[in-house]
Amino acid sequence: MALVPYEETAGVGLQKFHKPLATFSFANHKIQIRQDWRQLGVAAVVWDAAIVLSAYLEMGAVELRGCSAVELGAGTGLVGIVAALLGAHVTITDRKVALEFLKSNVQANLPPHIQPKVVVKELTWGQNLGSFSPGEFDLILGADIIYLEETFTDLLQTLEHLCSNHSVILLACRIRYERDNNFLAMLKRQFTVSKVHYDPEKDVHIYKAQKRNQREDL
């Protein structure tokens, strides 16, 4: 899912993806993310949605200390790394082909005492869900994972599996196409959804979703 040619037209905008390192400061740590656009494409660069979601977590919008979190379609792992630095126990996931690259970024950016709180694990949406307990996570994170229409059903199935009635989903995305709104409409059929943040400079929205409780559906 992460390894697909991306429809981004601005040549200037793409230049940052070809840099071997992207450097950030979050949670009082300097984070250096290795990028590898040539080998892994969209899975190996830092998208604006990941930066905005990391900043949102840093603002203290959700309680992360002791929280059980999972990042979906993590790519470089920036969001999961920031969540771990802020106190969460994090499972950082992507497809098998991206895992070694993802692990290298996680290990390079987490102090030794935090590394035991982080697991890098394979997850292909809608497929190997049996290796995750239903409702396992308090917080589900996704940055720019809504862009391929053929993955929407699998992504929804995955969210449904990972969520308990108390879990919170945070999805950061840029609304580029009508299909992005289509996914949000699909999400709203199974979850209560609200927009909790917007970064006008990067044109990134953050949506919060939670399972609908049965009383709402009656």
Side-chain angles (χ1 to χ4, degrees):
M1 286 157 205
L3 309 180
V4 206
Y6 204 83
E7 299 172 43
E8 189 79 57
T9 51
V12 176
L14 286 175
Q15 286 176 7
K16 64 185 177 184
F17 297 145
H18 292 277
K19 293 179 180 177
L21 279 178
T23 303
F24 306 95
S25 178
F26 287 113
N28 297 317
H29 284 77
K30 181 182 180 182
I31 300 172
Q32 286 196 307
I33 298 291
R34 192 164 62 87
Q35 301 193 121
D36 193 348
W37 173 270
R38 288 186 179 278
Q39 291 298 314
L40 290 170
V42 299
V45 295
V46 178
W47 296 94
D48 283 346
I51 300 168
V52 173
L53 184 52
S54 296
Y56 184 73
L57 294 178
E58 189 179 47
M59 281 161 34
V62 290
E63 179 53 60
L64 289 169
R65 294 209 167 274
C67 161
S68 171
V70 60
E71 184 184 2
L72 304 181
T76 63
L78 176 63
V79 173
I81 289 166
V82 172
L85 290 171
L86 291 169
H89 294 259
V90 190
T91 301
I92 305 179
T93 70
D94 210 318
R95 294 166 67 202
K96 187 174 183 178
V97 70
L99 286 191
E100 285 308 312
F101 178 80
L102 175 54
K103 281 179 186 173
S104 70
N105 270 322
V106 170
Q107 290 167 357
N109 286 288
L110 289 180
H113 70 283
I114 291 179
Q115 290 201 19
K117 296 181 178 180
V118 177
V119 175
V120 176
K121 191 170 176 179
E122 180 185 354
L123 174 55
T124 300
W125 303 336
Q127 292 187 26
N128 57 321
L129 294 177
S131 60
F132 295 83
S133 302
E136 184 174 345
F137 299 102
D138 304 316
L139 179 65
I140 292 90
L141 301 166
D144 233 342
I145 60 174
I146 306 166
Y147 59 88
L148 277 182
E149 203 154 10
E150 57 266 33
T151 67
F152 287 177
T153 300
D154 290 336
L155 177 53
L156 277 173
Q157 182 190 352
T158 301
L159 292 172
E160 180 75 27
H161 179 83
L162 297 176
C163 278
S164 71
N165 289 334
H166 307 291
S167 305
V168 171
I169 301 167
L170 292 177
L171 298 175
C173 61
R174 185 176 287 158
I175 302 296
R176 298 176 174 89
Y177 308 105
E178 185 55 36
R179 62 176 179 256
D180 303 335
N181 284 315
N182 292 344
F183 176 80
L184 292 171
M186 292 168 68
L187 188 67
K188 286 174 183 175
R189 291 182 203 131
Q190 293 174 248
F191 298 86
T192 56
V193 180
S194 58
K195 184 160 72 173
V196 292
H197 184 70
Y198 177 65
D199 184 316
E201 183 185 336
K202 296 189 184 300
D203 189 25
V204 169
H205 307 258
I206 297 179
Y207 295 92
K208 175 182 175 181
Q210 291 180 281
K211 273 190 177 179
R212 291 185 176 279
N213 65 46
Q214 291 176 334
R215 289 188 178 185
E216 286 182 33
D217 295 333
L218 294 177

